[in-house]
Amino acid sequence: SQQGEEDPQALSIQEGENATMNCSYKTSINNLQWYRQNSGRGLVHLILIRSNEREKHSGRLRVTLDTSKKSSSLLITASRAADTASYFCATDNTGTASKLTFGTGTRLQVTL
Amino acid sequence: GAVVSQHPSWVICKSGTSVKIECRSLDFQATTMFWYRQFPKQSLMLMATSNEGSKATYEQGVEKDKFLINHASLTLSTLTVTSAHPEDSSFYICSARGQGRGRVTFGSGTRLTVV
């Protein structure tokens, strides 16, 4: 399956700053999800945005979706050192929200 | 709710041996489970989809005789890496979806090192 591309591949910011990660994908989708992965660990679901939604918020997270450009962005506001992790977008074109195609990921480093 | 346990969390084995990884849904019945592998600093690649009581569906390029998947019950799926070689060393992650549930829940992953 074709993976999506994420940029940047790596991002280093200071605590308190905002972090923006972008994801582009190739096929039409039913929904797009963002996950977080700490080094060597499993994935934690962050947020799901459906294809008919344009923006979604959850706490310090803001996700946008532009289906015409086949792209999404994840914004983490007021970052904390504990936000240091890899972030992946994942698309679902089956409508089940379960068979996912993952992007290449962004490694975020938040320093004090 | 929606907890998926994966075991072992890490394993080291010798070349030529087989390794079994378990993925259990602890508080729901998982009608479908997915197995992914992840190389260092790379993304997750779907290997196969398993439905309870039926044969797994493998993604293109994944050897079904090498990566045996069994989903014999609604709470357990296993992935067996047969005749493991060093190139099979990777991080394997499962996810599970229950009947009527929306998104999946991921296990914590298994780090396999073949020496």
Side-chain angles (χ1 to χ4, degrees):
Chain A
S1 56
Q2 293 289 320
Q3 283 187 309
E5 294 285 330
E6 287 184 58
D7 80 273
Q9 289 187 354
L11 179 60
S12 183
I13 59 174
Q14 290 192 315
E15 204 171 46
E17 294 180 336
N18 296 341
T20 299
M21 290 159 261
N22 302 294
C23 165
S24 61
Y25 55 91
K26 294 178 170 61
T27 64
S28 60
I29 61 171
N30 289 92
N31 63 76
L32 184 145
Q33 301 175 47
W34 284 90
Y35 286 85
R36 166 201 168 112
Q37 183 183 36
N38 285 56
S39 181
R41 305 293 295 275
L43 275 74
V44 175
H45 181 266
L46 296 176
I47 199 164
L48 180 152
I49 186 165
R50 301 189 190 284
S51 60
N52 60 353
E53 296 176 309
R54 292 295 168 258
E55 188 172 312
K56 207 163 183 180
H57 297 256
S58 176
R60 293 184 296 114
L61 306 180
R62 172 176 169 256
V63 167
T64 64
L65 178 64
D66 187 335
T67 52
S68 66
K69 296 181 179 178
K70 291 187 170 59
S71 67
S72 174
S73 68
L74 170 67
L75 168 67
I76 303 174
T77 60
S79 63
R80 305 166 182 168
D83 294 329
T84 295
S86 290
Y87 292 82
F88 294 92
C89 67
T91 55
D92 163 49
N93 61 4
T94 66
T96 63
S98 51
K99 184 175 181 179
L100 303 173
T101 300
F102 282 85
T104 50
T106 294
R107 291 190 302 280
L108 174 66
Q109 175 79 42
V110 182
T111 56
L112 295 172
Chain B
V3 178
V4 173
S5 172
Q6 192 170 334
H7 179 81
S9 56
W10 61 270
V11 58
I12 300 173
C13 72
K14 292 184 177 180
S15 286
T17 61
S18 295
V19 174
K20 180 183 284 188
I21 302 169
E22 293 186 349
C23 181
R24 290 182 186 273
S25 56
L26 299 186
D27 52 0
F28 66 100
Q29 293 185 324
T31 50
T32 306
M33 286 187 172
F34 301 88
W35 287 95
Y36 296 82
R37 71 186 295 181
Q38 183 182 32
F39 290 107
K41 296 185 179 181
Q42 293 190 27
S43 188
L44 284 77
M45 297 295 293
L46 180 65
M47 298 175 67
T49 302
S50 74
N51 293 296
E52 186 266 336
S54 61
K55 290 184 178 180
T57 302
Y58 290 81
E59 295 298 303
Q60 194 171 14
V62 178
E63 300 175 59
K64 61 181 180 181
D65 294 330
K66 175 123 181 108
F67 299 99
L68 301 178
I69 292 172
N70 185 291
H71 191 163
S73 79
L74 282 171
T75 59
L76 174 65
S77 176
T78 61
L79 166 67
T80 301
V81 182
T82 62
S83 187
H85 291 284
E87 57 264 31
D88 297 325
S89 298
S90 187
F91 192 59
Y92 293 87
I93 310 177
C94 70
S95 67
R97 175 175 176 261
Q99 183 79 30
R101 299 179 71 96
R103 55 180 175 80
V104 294
T105 302
F106 281 83
S108 54
T110 297
R111 170 77 57 198
L112 170 63
T113 303
V114 184
V115 296

